[in-house]
Amino acid sequence: MIRFNCDYCEGAHQRILDKLVETNMEQTPGYGNDRFCAEAAQMIRDLCKAPEAAVHFLTGGTQANLTVIAAALRPHQGVLCSEAGHIAVHEAGAVEATGHKVLGLSAPDGKITAQQVKQAYVDHINDESYDQIVKPGLVYISQSTELGTTYSKAELEEMYQVCKECGLYLYVDGARLAYALGAEGMDVDFEVLAANCDVFYIGGTKVGALFGEAVVILNDALKTDFRYIMRQEGGLVAKGRLLGIQFSELLRDGFYIETGRRADRLADEIRKACEDRGYPFLVPNNTNQIFPVIPDAVLESWKDKYAFAYQCRVDKSHSAVRFCTSWATRPEDVKALADDIRNS
């Protein structure tokens, strides 16, 4: 079975495993108070050109999302996000379990707009029953989105400006940040991202780490007592060094973005095969997730050879599916899939 169903099928990149083995017997303080976490945090500050940023390491994306949102919001506040947003669809109500409602906005391509956020804010404050309705307090977006699309520099700048005007925090989920930053034509880098949000995280789990995400807090108001919230949510890891080591290796020498770029280019080969065969896309994008619309009969013939994710039914005989490349995808597997697409 060749797996294209997600970007975390394999364990970890060899450079990370080698460093973990090399440092295995070194004694360090716990809970992230070690030299490896300090080094990784400084690397992140340098990449973001944000010397005052607070950096915290957590084990997974859902944990990062619920911890940041729980720390940012008051009890009566909720989160504006795409209806397809990860916190709205794939986290089993984790954010709601912290007491904060997820307020979904329509986003056929996975992206919400600054205009939508402004309208949601205006609609709330102008409602005569405003004090009986969950108040928007934070905007959640993903870079790249759950549909593989990306926000440009101009879109981020506009979104952040609206958030500031409306008194809303802007939080960017970066589970697949490497694949966004490595996308062809992308004009967002770490510095641009850090300048245009209050908090974001750098994904490791989907980009070659065994596990781990790095939360980067830019807004001083969100820094206070964040470690207390981490502890409450089970995110303060005793062997925090394991996270610091992984991020130091991921971010060294441009490896993180280059890893994302490699996966994106392999995804382009699958896109080209779909285009050559005449298969349309549910959503056009240029990152590591591809969403072609393919006849059900063809998909059935592949079920014992390829693993892929079902997305939705398009008509009575066609479905949209997701093929996902990753840091570990082998070119020969991509070629096999591309050949089968063209010959289907």
Side-chain angles (χ1 to χ4, degrees):
M1 178 70 72
I2 302 174
R3 292 195 169 275
F4 289 100
N5 55 308
C6 68
D7 38 21
Y8 45 91
C9 291
E10 295 83 4
H13 194 279
Q14 191 63 45
R15 68 187 281 169
I16 288 175
L17 296 177
D18 290 345
K19 193 67 175 181
L20 289 171
V21 171
E22 176 190 327
T23 59
N24 187 52
M25 294 306 295
E26 180 175 333
Q27 293 182 325
T28 63
Y31 301 104
N33 297 309
D34 59 87
R35 70 179 183 91
F36 302 110
C37 287
E39 178 189 33
Q42 190 57 50
M43 291 173 72
I44 290 169
R45 294 187 192 99
D46 292 344
L47 286 168
C48 294
K49 292 184 170 55
E52 302 304 317
V55 180
H56 301 278
F57 300 101
L58 292 98
T59 58
T62 298
Q63 186 181 69
N65 289 335
L66 69 90
T67 303
V68 168
I69 291 169
L73 297 185
R74 297 184 67 190
H76 58 286
Q77 294 179 318
V79 186
L80 292 169
C81 79
S82 160
E83 289 177 339
H86 208 266
I87 61 171
V89 179
H90 288 123
E91 295 186 356
V95 170
E96 283 89 349
T98 69
H100 302 288
K101 186 176 179 63
V102 174
L103 307 167
L105 301 174
S106 176
D109 65 351
K111 295 164 57 177
I112 58 175
T113 66
Q115 291 77 14
Q116 284 178 292
V117 169
K118 183 64 174 286
Q119 191 61 55
Y121 170 79
V122 170
D123 289 346
H124 176 82
I125 62 174
N126 289 334
D127 194 298
E128 63 180 15
S129 300
Y130 73 93
D131 53 356
Q132 300 175 47
I133 304 170
V134 172
K135 180 181 181 180
L138 179 146
V139 174
Y140 166 99
I141 62 175
S142 300
Q143 180 77 326
S144 60
T145 72
E146 290 71 21
L147 292 177
T149 50
T150 56
Y151 289 87
S152 68
K153 178 181 178 182
E155 289 171 326
L156 283 176
E157 290 174 339
E158 184 181 13
M159 180 72 78
Y160 193 37
Q161 182 59 40
V162 165
C163 286
K164 289 188 287 188
E165 291 172 2
C166 298
L168 305 170
Y169 292 122
L170 178 58
Y171 170 45
V172 181
D173 179 326
R176 293 188 170 94
L177 186 59
Y179 306 118
L181 299 185
E184 186 173 357
M186 171 54 64
D187 60 355
V188 174
D189 56 17
F190 283 111
E191 183 180 359
V192 169
L193 180 56
N196 289 285
C197 68
D198 295 293
V199 53
F200 71 97
Y201 81 81
I202 302 169
T205 301
K206 294 181 171 70
V207 195
L210 279 171
F211 54 85
E213 328 297 331
V215 172
V216 185
I217 305 176
L218 294 314
N219 189 320
D220 289 343
L222 295 175
K223 297 175 184 177
T224 303
D225 293 344
F226 190 79
R227 277 172 64 91
Y228 288 96
I229 308 299
M230 287 175 61
R231 186 58 165 174
Q232 277 194 340
E233 303 297 348
L236 201 55
V237 179
K239 296 182 181 180
R241 56 181 283 166
L242 300 179
L243 293 162
I245 290 167
Q246 292 185 82
F247 275 94
S248 291
E249 292 305 306
L250 283 176
L251 297 170
R252 200 180 310 281
D253 304 323
F255 179 75
Y256 188 76
I257 294 177
E258 185 53 42
T259 295
R261 184 177 293 118
R262 174 187 177 277
D264 292 342
R265 298 294 77 79
L266 289 172
D268 286 342
E269 297 182 28
I270 300 173
R271 280 191 194 86
K272 182 62 165 58
C274 291
E275 292 168 354
D276 291 346
R277 182 61 181 83
Y279 292 149
F281 299 98
L282 182 67
V283 178
N285 63 48
N286 62 345
T287 57
N288 70 315
Q289 300 179 86
I290 312 106
F291 296 86
V293 178
I294 297 177
D296 294 333
V298 172
L299 296 174
E300 178 66 19
S301 72
W302 290 345
K303 69 178 184 179
D304 294 325
K305 185 174 183 180
Y306 301 109
F308 47 85
Y310 173 83
Q311 188 69 18
C312 65
R313 174 151 299 286
V314 174
D315 60 36
K316 64 181 182 180
S317 60
H318 293 77
S319 297
V321 296
R322 182 184 75 167
F323 293 107
C324 203
T325 57
S326 78
W327 62 275
T329 298
R330 301 188 305 174
E332 56 267 34
D333 290 341
V334 170
K335 184 180 185 305
L337 175 59
D339 288 346
D340 282 342
I341 289 172
R342 290 189 174 95
N343 295 326
S344 62

